Amino acid sequence: MFTCNHAPGLTALAAAVASLFISPVALAAPVKTESGLVQGVEENGVLVFKGIPFAAPPVGPRRWRAPEPPEPWSGVKSAKRFSPICMQRGAYPEDSPPEPMDEDCLYLNIWVPPGARTEKLPVMVWIHGGGLINGSASTPLYAGDALSQRGVIVVTANYRLGALGFLAHPDLTQESAHRVSGNYGLLDQLAALNWVKRNIGSFGGDPDNVTVFGQSSGSISISVLTASPLARGLFARAIGQSGGLFEPIDAAPEFKLAGAEQVGVAFGERRDAPSAQALRALPASEIVAARFNPQPNIDGYLLHETPYETFAHGRQNNVDVLVGSNKDEGLYFLSGREISRATLSDELKRDFPTFIVSLIGPKAPADDKAARKAFVDFESDMRFGWNMWAWARNHAASGKGRTYYYRFTRTPPDDEGASHGVEMQYVFDHLDIKPLAWTDEDRRIAQTIGSYWTNFAKTGDPNSEGSPAWPEFTPSNQTAMIIGNQIGAAPVPNVTNLKSIDRLYAAVRVLLKYGYAIAGVGGLLLITLLWRIGVFIVRPHKKART
């Protein structure tokens, strides 16, 4: 057999030639964390630290337990590559590139402006959306390079999803020190925020000036965290984009711990796994493949009551908030559905209780085009518009911090309106991820919204010289900042419909308070009566004592 005795020399030559065509990666100086040294890389003008563990792997006996601290390491851990994302089905956003998945997924990523080690910069922690079913901290859309260049440190973190992140079960409750279960994904978010509090100073960040920001279920999570005593002191500001948990969720048993446990029992029985031990023996892939609707539960530990009750009584954490939604969110829910004048009511009843559609749903559209618009508008208001308005209104009335409210109206080149999630490419200033016919106007909006978001993170006020003035949202001045083809302050759009939803939810809460059933003819008649006299039962909120 012929053997090349000069292979080592040829290998070295090949490496030398390759080096002429491959740019070397600029390594960042190692940074000390509580678990050990980490070393990132320089990319796009900022330093990036990828795949830093903020908790121990939630596998084996740690599955369905509160996150535990990461194991320390010796030497310098490379932080040049993203970690696997948490186990999930599908992707969010839907056109995100595929990423490796693993149950061992509790890692975060940090974007740092050069030279920040000697400063105390504001910190922005992103909580991704995806319906608590999918999404990741490392999808290219969420790269923090453009925001970081504005003088902030950006952190993105994974958290457990689906049944792995939100399954409650009596066995799991029994083994918990706090006698709770479910909410593991939210506890992961808290663990990431606690890690930031303890470690971000080593990267040049100010642990006392942290802003959480998120979209969709990430924003819903933020509404929960702002209401949770466990998050007190972990962030000074919150940005919520199209997601909140302010509906009367106590009408649904599965939002309470006991009801969530029964959902978990049924889930285990369908898998022939009646106990926590049997559930932990199942492959993670089998658990993720099974049907499960993840949601937070009121467990008396992370959540003591509904977020609406917390905010309405001024018991939320003392933070500044900036919240809002997009004009045409409901377009997201049109996929695969034929909406016409004849089918409008039935299609809406697939998504919402019949009594809601009957009382406040759109009435007799003129034609199919009008029906389609009515569907989009109603879905937008019910799912997002009212939640964000209720969040702003109750927070402003509580006196617990400044409040700013927005409405995003820009239609990107690939959409027919300002649909759910389209603002994210502007927020992160990553328009070029999609090769579309972006205009100078799109880039101006991205620059403006990036300025608003980072200014808010720095000072609690989005305003700066050169940008249209954004007035504070107050009980006496309910003003929205319209961000679109025109940028400027205006009265809250569609407020009449939002008030109608508010009256209906107030009626439901009155019935729940006095123990009346929501279902049945009697319940519907009571709700209708209370809704029609809603002006008498919806009182202005009193400013809370601080």
Side-chain angles (χ1 to χ4, degrees), residues 15 68 153 175 178 182 184 198 264 270 281 291 392 405 469 494 502:
E68 299 175 9
I153 290 176
E175 68 184 34
H178 301 284
Y184 302 107
R198 298 190 305 269
R270 291 195 300 271
R291 184 177 178 182
Y405 180 77
N494 212 21
D502 200 55

Side-chain angles (χ1 to χ4, degrees), residues 342-356:
T343 64
L344 174 62
S345 179
D346 288 340
E347 287 294 330
L348 288 175
K349 288 174 184 177
R350 288 174 52 188
D351 296 344
F352 306 102
T354 297
F355 77 88
I356 289 180

Side-chain angles (χ1 to χ4, degrees), residues 357-405:
V357 178
S358 299
L359 286 178
I360 62 173
K363 310 300 181 188
D367 51 33
D368 290 350
K369 182 178 179 181
R372 195 172 188 275
K373 183 180 185 303
F375 175 91
V376 170
D377 290 346
F378 191 71
E379 294 272 351
S380 300
D381 289 342
M382 285 294 300
R383 292 181 184 271
F384 306 104
W386 179 84
N387 267 293
M388 309 320 284
W389 179 65
W391 190 344
R393 190 164 48 89
N394 283 283
H395 190 73
S398 73
K400 282 296 191 77
R402 288 171 286 189
T403 305
Y404 295 89
Y405 180 77

Side-chain angles (χ1 to χ4, degrees), residues 182-265:
N183 290 341
Y184 302 107
L186 293 166
L187 292 172
D188 294 341
Q189 295 168 13
L190 286 167
L193 287 165
N194 272 294
W195 188 97
V196 168
K197 186 80 170 178
R198 298 190 305 269
N199 292 278
I200 206 65
S202 298
F203 296 84
D206 184 351
D208 296 320
N209 190 8
V210 173
T211 297
V212 288
F213 68 130
Q215 183 265 348
S216 196
S217 60
S219 181
I220 289 173
S221 298
I222 290 170
S223 72
V224 172
L225 296 181
T226 307
S228 174
L230 299 185
R232 189 165 293 133
L234 294 181
F235 52 91
R237 322 190 202 289
I239 299 175
Q241 300 169 207
S242 304
L245 194 65
F246 294 96
E247 302 97 334
I249 59 173
D250 42 342
E254 60 269 23
F255 279 98
K256 299 175 184 177
L257 177 57
E261 287 176 334
Q262 293 312 302
V263 171
V265 167

Side-chain angles (χ1 to χ4, degrees), residues 206-465:
D206 184 351
D208 296 320
N209 190 8
V210 173
T211 297
V212 288
F213 68 130
Q215 183 265 348
S216 196
S217 60
S219 181
I220 289 173
S221 298
I222 290 170
S223 72
V224 172
L225 296 181
T226 307
S228 174
L230 299 185
R232 189 165 293 133
L234 294 181
F235 52 91
R237 322 190 202 289
I239 299 175
Q241 300 169 207
S242 304
L245 194 65
F246 294 96
E247 302 97 334
I249 59 173
D250 42 342
E254 60 269 23
F255 279 98
K256 299 175 184 177
L257 177 57
E261 287 176 334
Q262 293 312 302
V263 171
V265 167
F267 178 88
E269 289 175 346
R270 291 195 300 271
R271 311 270 78 73
D272 292 324
S275 67
Q277 181 180 4
L279 283 163
R280 287 195 175 107
L282 294 175
S285 57
E286 182 177 335
I287 293 169
V288 170
R291 184 177 178 182
F292 182 81
N293 182 27
Q295 54 202 9
N297 74 75
I298 302 169
D299 59 3
Y301 173 59
L302 190 146
L303 266 184
H304 292 258
E305 58 190 347
T306 71
Y308 185 91
E309 287 298 310
T310 299
F311 276 78
H313 293 93
R315 292 191 281 260
Q316 75 274 27
N317 299 329
N318 202 348
V319 300
D320 300 320
V321 303
L322 185 158
V323 297
S325 61
N326 300 347
K327 176 178 176 291
D328 307 302
E329 307 261 13
L331 287 169
Y332 189 80
F333 304 95
L334 271 175
S335 179
R337 301 170 76 164
E338 292 293 333
I339 307 299
S340 66
R341 189 175 185 274
T343 64
L344 174 62
S345 179
D346 288 340
E347 287 294 330
L348 288 175
K349 288 174 184 177
R350 288 174 52 188
D351 296 344
F352 306 102
T354 297
F355 77 88
I356 289 180
V357 178
S358 299
L359 286 178
I360 62 173
K363 310 300 181 188
D367 51 33
D368 290 350
K369 182 178 179 181
R372 195 172 188 275
K373 183 180 185 303
F375 175 91
V376 170
D377 290 346
F378 191 71
E379 294 272 351
S380 300
D381 289 342
M382 285 294 300
R383 292 181 184 271
F384 306 104
W386 179 84
N387 267 293
M388 309 320 284
W389 179 65
W391 190 344
R393 190 164 48 89
N394 283 283
H395 190 73
S398 73
K400 282 296 191 77
R402 288 171 286 189
T403 305
Y404 295 89
Y405 180 77
Y406 75 88
R407 175 89 152 180
F408 187 85
T409 62
R410 177 68 172 178
T411 299
D414 63 335
D415 215 313
E416 60 177 292
S419 185
H420 186 59
V422 301
E423 85 288 357
M424 290 190 292
Q425 52 207 334
Y426 295 87
V427 168
F428 283 94
D429 198 2
H430 284 318
L431 301 182
D432 292 332
I433 284 180
K434 294 183 179 180
L436 303 174
W438 299 108
T439 66
D440 290 342
E441 186 70 13
D442 289 303
R443 300 188 189 284
R444 183 182 69 85
I445 292 170
Q447 289 293 310
T448 302
I449 199 170
S451 175
Y452 283 143
W453 264 229
T454 53
N455 287 334
F456 179 76
K458 292 171 183 177
T459 67
D461 184 339
N463 290 289
S464 66
E465 187 176 350

